[in-house]
Amino acid sequence: MSQTLQVVIVPSPGMGHLIPFIEFAKHLVHFHDYFNVTCIIPTIGTPPDAMKASLLALPSNINHIFLPPISFEEDRSDHSEVGNVVLISLAMTRSLPSLRHTLKSLIETNTRVVALLVDSFGTAAFDVANEFKLSSYLFFTSNAMALSTLFYLPKLDEMVSCEFRDLPEPVKIPGCVPVNGRDIGELFQDRKSDTYKLFLNMARRFGLAKGIVLNTFIDIETGALKALMEEDEEYSGGVRPPIYPIGPMIRAGSSDRGRKSDCLTWLDNQPSGSVLYVSFGSGGTLSHNQLIELAFGLEMSQQRFIWVVRSPNDESANAAFFKVQSEKDPFDFLPDGFLERTKQRGLVISSWAPQIEVLGHGSTGGFLTHCGWNSILESVVYGVPMIAWPLFAEQKINAVMLTEDVKVAFRPEVRKEDGGLVIREEIAKVVKKMMEGVEGKKVRKRMRENLTDAASKAFMEDGASRKSLLKLALEWKNQKAGKY
């Protein structure tokens, strides 16, 4: 072919969305070397160093362009999870003029741009793609169950008058296990809010995409993918675009050897499968009271653990998403004497750990996770069963899928009489069940035999995800280039 084909990808702000876009780009150019990828990145404030480092490490056929940062000082009344979602959506919308200018420049330099792949918060960019006669695709960075929920949302909105948390019966989302209304997610619980209306409008615009790319694989979400890919009448009206499940795509291990050496050295000295890894992702935060309960629960369990601890926030469950968090040392919030009492079997790390290397280490036997989809896929790839502790966004839906459908996780109970906290006794019970109980052994076996093996086969030459990526690549190869 005389000219390399260019695919433009547009993630929303935040590492959690950038990571799967980067991994997709790497897989695309590796398996189909007639593509180059340009990653155009809307930003809120100055891009963090970790983001810059990830982008600079990419191969030469993947380029990146930061759009001018969007400021929200006049808009931001709080830093709640709901506020953050609205900010992300606004950032994507306010970045459209810069995106338009950048696309125009690419096309005018005789670059053969054949497709625009955007984040779920960036569906307004479909209109920009149309201006350049570009085919626009959606990259949904969560899973098929969450996508099925969003496609079902307009119909559910018409059927139900109360708040979803007040529904007396579980919601039957097409292709998925029934979900209690309270587990649909905090972002959907106030139907009069701007956030709910944003997601409702987002779901309706998904159908405008020429195709939807999903970082999942058939063996982990058979029912949801089947419902999305077939003519399921349970969804509301409108045609669903073709679905391309191309996962699991996870990031490679860190190249920062200095930061991770102490952590992995400690793991080297622990028995096989004996350590529980505790982390709430790049943005998750606990309240002060919940942090105290978790500390005592880990201590009471008498199990080995690595805990990535972050300063608490009583206002938001994802206060660290845009670095809006306490500057105090997180160790200052731990119970008195906790570090001393647990030093023989626990390692507490401030804010960051090399998650890929920890999950891939032979001493790691469990993962207490916030149920972000990236973390779930990483755990699946390395065969580590989970304790599901969802915090925000679609994570409660993910927790239901893990515990009720594929059954590779335990979920601690949250009771009203405990003030909405997961209390220390419950934490200790679930941790012990995972790490030393018979049920934990069954979950570990189920994870490795049903999911981890299937994940490793998905990108083999005849694997379903490899074939799905090939189908998408051929479709893009045959697209006409964008014009201005």
Side-chain angles (χ1 to χ4, degrees):
M1 185 169 293
S2 59
Q3 190 179 27
T4 301
L5 307 181
Q6 188 82 209
V7 174
V8 174
I9 60 177
V10 186
S12 63
M15 283 298 290
H17 286 248
L18 178 63
I19 288 168
F21 270 86
I22 288 176
E23 295 307 320
F24 171 79
K26 287 159 64 177
H27 277 72
L28 179 66
V29 300
H30 174 74
F31 288 112
H32 307 286
D33 59 6
Y34 44 86
F35 286 111
N36 278 358
V37 176
T38 297
C39 184
I40 301 177
I41 308 167
T43 58
I44 298 176
T46 304
D49 291 341
M51 179 181 290
K52 294 177 183 178
S54 297
L55 292 164
L56 290 173
L58 293 174
S60 60
N61 48 1
I62 303 175
N63 304 304
H64 69 275
I65 300 170
F66 284 112
L67 297 181
I70 304 297
S71 175
F72 293 102
E73 292 307 315
E74 70 280 9
D75 303 271
R76 191 194 294 262
S77 59
D78 61 56
H79 301 304
S80 67
E81 61 190 275
V82 173
N84 278 342
V85 167
V86 173
L87 292 183
I88 292 171
S89 179
L90 282 172
M92 298 297 282
T93 302
R94 294 182 184 180
S95 295
L96 290 180
S98 299
L99 174 63
R100 182 180 290 108
H101 175 76
T102 304
L103 274 176
K104 179 183 176 184
S105 298
L106 283 173
I107 292 171
E108 286 182 340
T109 57
N110 203 31
T111 301
R112 190 179 173 191
V113 180
V114 294
L116 181 72
L117 182 68
V118 305
D119 186 271
S120 53
F121 288 99
T123 55
F126 291 168
D127 298 330
V128 176
N130 291 337
E131 294 175 23
F132 295 99
K133 298 180 175 59
L134 272 177
S135 295
S136 50
Y137 291 74
L138 178 73
F139 188 7
F140 191 74
T141 55
S142 187
N143 55 21
M145 184 172 182
L147 180 61
S148 185
T149 301
L150 279 170
F151 269 118
Y152 188 61
L153 188 63
K155 182 173 182 178
L156 183 63
D157 184 71
E158 294 175 358
M159 293 167 49
V160 172
S161 58
C162 64
E163 295 292 352
F164 296 148
R165 61 176 168 266
D166 298 325
L167 289 171
E169 299 293 332
V171 178
K172 296 181 180 179
I173 299 165
C176 307
V177 293
V179 179
N180 289 321
R182 64 180 179 273
D183 280 334
I184 289 181
E186 294 300 321
L187 300 175
F188 297 160
Q189 295 301 340
D190 181 0
R191 297 174 65 192
K192 295 180 181 179
S193 69
D194 290 341
T195 302
Y196 178 80
K197 294 172 185 176
L198 183 154
F199 275 100
L200 196 60
N201 181 61
M202 182 192 299
R204 290 168 175 151
R205 286 186 62 84
F206 281 1
L208 300 176
K210 190 165 183 180
I212 299 179
V213 180
L214 270 169
N215 189 13
T216 191
F217 61 106
I218 191 70
D219 292 271
I220 196 172
E221 297 194 273
T222 305
L225 284 171
K226 182 179 179 181
L228 287 165
M229 297 168 94
E230 296 180 355
E231 296 296 325
D232 195 310
E233 297 178 357
E234 290 300 313
Y235 296 107
S236 56
V239 178
R240 289 185 305 286
I243 304 293
Y244 300 90
I246 48 77
M249 293 182 175
I250 66 169
R251 56 188 165 176
S254 170
S255 60
D256 191 345
R257 299 290 172 184
R259 292 183 67 186
K260 72 179 184 179
S261 58
D262 291 345
C263 174
L264 297 184
T265 298
W266 185 87
L267 275 173
D268 288 342
N269 295 317
Q270 309 307 314
S272 175
S274 67
V275 177
L276 176 72
Y277 173 56
V278 182
S279 176
F280 295 94
S282 59
T285 45
L286 301 178
S287 69
H288 191 192
N289 287 340
Q290 186 61 84
L291 185 144
I292 295 295
E293 291 299 313
L294 177 54
F296 280 123
L298 291 173
E299 183 177 350
M300 291 171 60
S301 76
Q302 297 291 302
Q303 303 300 308
R304 290 177 173 83
F305 64 87
I306 290 180
W307 180 11
V308 183
V309 68
R310 180 176 287 126
S311 297
N313 189 295
D314 290 336
E315 302 299 324
S316 172
N318 67 349
F321 195 83
F322 292 122
K323 303 298 181 183
V324 181
Q325 55 181 317
S326 170
E327 295 180 357
K328 294 182 179 179
D329 187 339
F331 285 30
D332 292 342
F333 297 93
L334 296 171
D336 290 342
F338 171 77
L339 293 174
E340 181 65 25
R341 294 192 302 271
T342 60
K343 66 180 181 180
Q344 298 301 321
R345 63 178 181 279
L347 179 65
V348 184
I349 303 171
S350 175
S351 300
W352 181 90
Q355 181 160 298
I356 293 293
E357 290 91 336
V358 171
L359 290 173
H361 199 285
S363 295
T364 302
F367 182 15
L368 193 158
T369 172
H370 68 309
C371 297
W373 188 238
N374 291 335
S375 290
I376 288 172
L377 288 180
E378 289 162 7
S379 203
V380 166
V381 167
Y382 288 103
V384 181
M386 287 163 274
I387 295 175
W389 190 311
L391 293 179
F392 55 90
E394 86 290 358
Q395 292 165 11
K396 288 186 177 180
I397 290 176
N398 294 348
V400 172
M401 186 266 283
L402 290 173
T403 57
E404 303 298 326
D405 188 3
V406 293
K407 299 180 180 179
V408 293
F410 299 126
R411 186 175 179 181
E413 183 181 2
V414 181
R415 301 188 305 175
K416 289 183 179 178
E417 55 265 37
D418 296 323
L421 296 174
V422 184
I423 61 173
R424 61 194 70 178
E425 292 83 3
E426 176 69 9
I427 294 166
K429 181 182 74 174
V430 174
V431 170
K432 290 180 73 173
K433 181 167 67 171
M434 168 65 76
M435 301 306 296
E436 63 178 30
V438 174
E439 293 176 79
K441 292 178 181 178
K442 291 180 179 178
V443 165
R444 187 168 290 104
K445 182 179 180 182
R446 190 179 301 121
M447 168 69 89
R448 291 175 177 171
E449 293 183 356
N450 294 357
L451 296 184
T452 302
D453 288 349
S456 68
K457 295 174 182 176
F459 262 97
M460 292 182 179
E461 189 168 353
D462 293 326
S465 294
R466 177 86 170 267
K467 289 179 179 178
S468 188
L469 182 63
L470 172 61
K471 183 178 180 182
L472 182 65
L474 291 175
E475 185 171 317
W476 286 348
K477 185 178 180 180
N478 295 323
Q479 294 283 353
K480 293 181 179 179
K483 296 180 179 180
Y484 180 73

